[in-house]
């Protein structure tokens, strides 16, 4: 068990800044996902924690001790790489035992620890198999066992499921989570799959271009995305420019001025802002509401995703399954999030103040 801190960590390649002023504090026994688009710096951060690349600035602290200048083999971390490479000419047993041999443990101790870890990842009986004789999911579990057998204080997983098909991904990610919770091992899990991040982690750090946009629980990321980037990146979201006043949303351009009623959002602005509405917050109504036409309908089993043509542009909504293409419906918003300068404006007062500061009228 150990906590991990990155303090003002920076990484440059030549004159290109990849990571800048990164602060991240992970609690002991926590599973944290680094989630972000390709090239956002996830692998770079993980490799700096593991010591495989050096940071240019800042400190990395594990369990209270700075490890910034400690080589990877002497850090209390072990890493499963993005392209997990098992040694093809070694059996499962030999693959897992290798790291322990380097540490010069006795044969007896090695065999005991390999047996323990094989049981943990549910691979008992496959000791003598070679990687080519295993399924993708089994190979992945060997890679995990190879990291776990070293009893690291911090486990680093770089897209450990990327080579698996969707069904197996679900299964193995749940197994990893179960093992992580059972061992209470501090874990950093890198992925660019938000569904994966949201379903296995205690907290998620959403990365964009080498900085953290928001570090929060999955629920908070979904319900209170603090930046425009997170709002667009996590889950499905309708984002559009508009004005919001006295419980109504208006389109930015004045030709489309049919207001859309909006509950639970008492912000007010006469200047256009970025508004974000989740598909499940678009409510089809029988009474008061703005007009929309159903453009497309995508059945999703117990509900349907529909695309609506509205005065605010095309919007996606999740609805019970009974609407048909071409139908004219009425709708309102259950909840709209308001962004200004890319950041969530939480309250009316806050909003009014900001707009006033920027010299606009309310
Ligand atoms: N050795 C290097 N030299 C120069 N630039 C590099 C080097 N390694 C990585 N980069 C750059 O750093 C940025 C972040 O790369 P990184 O591999 O951390 O991204 P990532 O978030 O892991 O992406 P992916 O999801 O594709 O794995 C990229 O723009 C990449 O081009
Ligand atoms: Mg990567």
């Amino acid at each position: 068990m150990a906590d991990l801190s990155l303090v003002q960590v920076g990484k440059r390649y030549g004159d290109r800044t990849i990571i800048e002023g990164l602060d991240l504090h992970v609690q002991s026994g926590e599973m944290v996902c680094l989630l972000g688009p390709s090239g956002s710096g996830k692998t770079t951060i993980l490799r700096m924690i593991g010591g495989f690349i050096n940071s240019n600035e800042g400190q990395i602290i594990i369990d209270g001790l700075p490890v910034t200048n400690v080589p990877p083999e002497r850090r209390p971390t072990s890493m499963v790489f993005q392209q997990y490479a098992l040694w093809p000419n070694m059996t499962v047993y030999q693959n897992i035992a290798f790291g322990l041999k380097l540490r010069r443990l006795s044969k007896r101790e090695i065999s005991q620890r390999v047996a323990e870890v094989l049981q943990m990842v549910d691979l008992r009986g496959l000791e003598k198999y070679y990687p080519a004789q295993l399924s993708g999911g089994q190979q992945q579990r060997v890679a995990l066992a190879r990291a776990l057998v070293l009893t690291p204080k911090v486990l680093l997983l770089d897209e450990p499921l990327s080579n698996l098909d969707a069904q197996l991904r679900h299964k193995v990610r749940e197994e990893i989570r179960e093992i992580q919770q059972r061992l209470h091992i501090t874990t950093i899990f890198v992925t660019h799959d938000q569904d994966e991040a949201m379903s296995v982690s205690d907290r998620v750090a959403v990365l964009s271009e080498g900085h953290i946009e928001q570090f929060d629980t999955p629920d908070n990321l979904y319900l209170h995305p603090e930046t425009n980037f997170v709002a667009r990146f996590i889950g499905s979201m309708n984002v559009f420019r508009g004005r919001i006043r006295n419980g109504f949303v208006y389109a930015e351009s004045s030709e489309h001025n049919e207001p859309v009623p909006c509950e639970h959002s008492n912000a007010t602005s006469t200047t256009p802002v970025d508004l974000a509405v989740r598909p499940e917050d678009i409510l089809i109504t029988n009474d008061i509401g703005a007009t929309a036409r159903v453009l497309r309908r995508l059945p999703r089993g117990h509900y349907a995703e529909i695309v609506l043509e509205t005065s605010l542009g095309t919007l996606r909504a999740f609805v019970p399954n009974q609407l048909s293409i071409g139908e004219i419906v009425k709708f309102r918003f259950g909840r709209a999030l308001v962004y200004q300068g890319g950041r969530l404006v939480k309250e009316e007062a806050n909003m009014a103040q900001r707009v006033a500061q920027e010299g606009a009228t309310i």
Side-chain angles (χ1 to χ4, degrees):
M1 287 215 284
D3 57 348
L4 162 76
S5 292
L6 276 68
V7 183
Q8 287 294 301
V9 168
K11 179 68 192 169
R12 288 183 306 275
Y13 285 113
D15 55 6
R16 242 186 99 203
T17 300
I18 307 295
I19 307 289
E20 196 170 15
L22 188 87
D23 287 319
L24 182 70
H25 303 286
V26 179
Q27 288 164 19
S28 181
E30 203 178 15
M31 173 114 152
V32 164
C33 272
L34 303 182
L35 173 69
S38 188
S40 57
K42 306 180 295 293
T43 296
T44 306
I45 295 168
L46 209 66
R47 283 177 175 256
M48 287 194 289
I49 300 171
F52 298 97
I53 51 183
N54 293 322
S55 49
N56 299 105
E57 284 144 25
Q59 283 273 23
I60 298 172
I61 300 159
I62 297 175
D63 218 6
L65 297 172
V67 296
T68 320
N69 299 313
V70 176
E73 65 278 7
R74 293 189 32 228
R75 288 194 189 193
T77 54
S78 51
M79 180 149 167
V80 173
F81 289 90
Q82 192 161 4
Q83 295 301 325
Y84 66 91
L86 299 176
W87 293 292
N89 54 336
M90 289 189 197
T91 63
V92 166
Y93 184 93
Q94 290 164 337
N95 262 283
I96 298 172
F98 189 77
L100 299 177
K101 275 192 184 160
L102 289 184
R103 292 188 182 180
R104 299 177 194 283
L105 267 63
S106 72
K107 268 200 168 158
R108 210 167 130 255
E109 198 169 349
I110 291 178
S111 113
Q112 194 180 338
R113 278 173 63 172
V114 172
E116 272 169 25
V117 86
L118 278 171
Q119 170 155 22
M120 216 180 272
V121 300
D122 202 15
L123 285 178
R124 270 179 314 163
L126 297 183
E127 291 83 345
K128 296 202 168 75
Y129 281 56
Y130 286 88
Q133 298 170 303
L134 302 176
S135 73
Q138 288 166 335
Q139 291 184 34
Q140 199 58 62
R141 278 182 278 157
V142 177
L144 183 64
R146 205 169 53 172
L148 286 174
V149 83
L150 301 172
T151 57
K153 286 185 172 167
V154 178
L155 180 64
L156 306 170
L157 306 172
D158 195 357
E159 309 236 11
L161 310 176
S162 56
N163 297 319
L164 307 183
D165 66 45
Q167 223 176 350
L168 207 50
R169 281 181 86 111
H170 277 79
K171 184 166 173 287
V172 181
R173 82 186 185 198
E174 275 164 32
E175 288 168 356
I176 291 179
R177 175 61 161 161
E178 196 273 318
I179 292 169
Q180 180 271 331
Q181 285 183 317
R182 189 147 40 91
L183 301 183
H184 206 66
I185 184 168
T186 311
T187 301
I188 314 289
F189 185 115
V190 163
T191 179
H192 60 256
D193 178 339
Q194 51 142 314
D195 180 48
E196 197 161 285
M198 302 288 271
S199 55
V200 298
S201 29
D202 295 303
R203 287 190 292 168
V204 179
V206 181
L207 289 164
S208 163
E209 297 177 357
H211 69 270
I212 293 176
E213 288 273 327
Q214 188 171 348
F215 181 34
D216 221 328
T217 60
D219 281 345
N220 275 344
L221 285 176
Y222 190 83
L223 292 172
H224 310 290
E226 275 170 12
T227 69
N228 209 326
F229 178 88
V230 178
R232 288 167 186 269
F233 194 69
I234 301 285
S236 186
M237 188 71 103
N238 296 292
V239 183
F240 48 88
R241 297 279 291 170
R243 294 172 173 79
I244 186 164
R245 192 163 52 224
N246 301 329
F248 286 90
V249 170
Y250 298 81
E252 181 179 12
S253 87
S254 54
E255 320 134 42
H256 302 293
N257 53 7
E258 189 189 12
V260 181
C262 179
E263 303 157 17
H264 308 303
S265 195
N266 49 8
T268 289
S269 79
T270 49
T271 51
V273 287
D274 290 317
L275 291 154
V277 178
R278 293 274 182 216
E280 63 271 28
D281 286 325
I282 295 184
L283 310 172
I284 305 296
T285 64
N286 292 322
D287 43 29
I288 304 162
T291 320
R293 193 165 69 91
V294 180
L295 282 184
R296 285 206 299 279
R297 182 176 169 283
L298 310 144
R300 293 275 185 251
H302 63 289
Y303 71 97
E305 180 176 341
I306 55 170
V307 180
L308 293 170
E309 187 179 34
T310 77
S311 60
L312 300 165
T314 56
L315 301 176
R316 272 170 199 276
F318 297 153
V319 294
N321 229 332
Q322 75 280 39
L323 298 177
S324 42
I325 295 173
E327 211 175 319
I328 304 293
V329 295
K330 293 219 172 284
F331 76 101
R332 63 175 195 267
F333 296 141
R335 181 170 178 258
L337 299 168
V338 181
Y339 293 85
Q340 251 196 329
R343 298 206 67 83
L344 180 63
V345 177
K346 283 193 171 136
E347 288 164 36
E348 190 180 359
N350 191 352
M351 169 99 175
Q353 218 173 22
R354 269 170 197 254
V355 176
Q357 275 166 3
E358 284 159 23
T361 52
I362 291 282

